Amino acid sequence: MTEFDLRGFRILPEYLAPACQADLVSALRDVVAQAPLFSPVTPSGKTMSVRMTSAGRYGWVSDRSGYRYSGAHPAGQPWPDIPAAVLRIWRDLVSDRRDPDCCLLNYYGEGARMGLHQDRDEADFSWPVLSISLGDEGLLRIGNTARGGATASHWLRSGDVVVMGGAARLAYHGVDRIRFGSSTLLPKGGRINLTCRVVD
Ligand SMILES: O=C(O)CCC(=O)C(=O)O
Ligand SMILES: [Mn+2]
């Protein structure tokens, strides 16, 4: 399917063929083996329904002291390298001048969601955020650069890639729900979303 624009988000449906999706999942198994998924807690003390880990120089973490990038997993070890297959997508769609510092891995199990938020813990918003969806379908909601107003929704499927850049870099976005069991890519079901970010 050809790419299209939704509120400034560049959406590339089926960017990754099924065989590439499977290769990516096996590379991600190595990431998770070195940096296990954890359940972040928001500064207000709520446990997020999405489980996370990261690869790269930095990983995104959250706890009672706030949201931030950290050079180490909460258990103390450095984050594993970003898989080469992820870097290839970044270089193809974003830039070959600079690689991302962080590849955040979100795992959505049954019932998991992510509330509307901006990605704004990075230093330079001229770099887009690249998002890669694997496994079950997820309903992405895109709002505006300020809270409130009309939103648009779109079901992201396994292999879809989104580039969030330009004026939309600071748009509110979230994942309202997933269709648990809609994909056979992950044997136990669920959705993986990767977001690649330039941090500093
Ligand atoms: O899961 C998604 O599609 C989006 C994830 C996201 O917005 C984030 O991790 O900041
Ligand atoms: Mn986000």
Side-chain angles (χ1 to χ4, degrees):
M1 209 203 271
T2 55
E3 67 174 84
F4 64 96
D5 177 288
L6 186 64
R7 292 181 156 248
F9 282 30
R10 181 182 174 201
I11 301 186
L12 298 103
E14 300 174 341
Y15 179 85
L16 293 173
C20 299
Q21 297 172 35
D23 288 348
L24 204 45
V25 170
S26 75
L28 296 175
R29 286 193 196 291
D30 293 339
V31 168
V32 172
Q34 296 170 68
L37 292 167
F38 56 92
S39 298
V41 173
T42 64
S44 66
K46 276 193 183 168
T47 302
M48 294 177 68
S49 58
V50 175
R51 295 197 293 148
M52 296 182 183
T53 190
S54 292
R57 295 200 302 124
Y58 291 111
W60 190 85
V61 298
S62 176
D63 55 26
R64 280 286 195 173
S65 34
Y67 304 124
R68 64 193 177 279
Y69 284 98
S70 165
H73 184 277
Q77 71 271 37
W79 306 101
D81 290 341
I82 299 177
V86 174
L87 294 177
R88 279 197 292 274
I89 302 167
W90 173 274
R91 290 171 190 160
D92 187 29
L93 292 176
V94 178
S95 174
D96 52 16
R97 278 194 299 124
R98 179 175 176 167
D99 283 338
D101 302 308
C102 170
C103 173
L104 173 64
L105 187 162
N106 293 144
Y107 176 74
Y108 298 75
E110 192 161 15
R113 55 184 300 280
M114 187 178 287
L116 278 177
H117 66 278
Q118 294 171 298
D119 291 351
R120 55 176 315 143
D121 298 323
E122 303 76 26
D124 180 356
F125 301 134
S126 69
W127 285 97
V129 171
L130 174 77
S131 148
I132 302 165
S133 291
L134 296 165
D136 289 341
E137 296 169 15
L139 185 60
L140 173 72
R141 186 201 287 260
I142 307 171
N144 306 286
T145 52
R147 266 198 191 283
T151 62
S153 292
H154 174 74
W155 281 101
L156 289 174
R157 300 192 167 81
S158 195
D160 293 356
V161 173
V162 183
V163 183
M164 307 185 269
R169 173 63 179 76
L170 288 173
Y172 277 84
H173 59 279
V175 174
D176 286 343
R177 57 197 161 94
I178 68 163
R179 279 185 183 133
F180 190 80
S182 55
S183 162
T184 56
L185 183 69
L186 304 174
K188 291 180 187 157
R191 172 174 186 262
I192 292 174
N193 175 263
L194 304 175
T195 46
C196 295
R197 301 131 184 269
V198 167
V199 173
D200 60 6

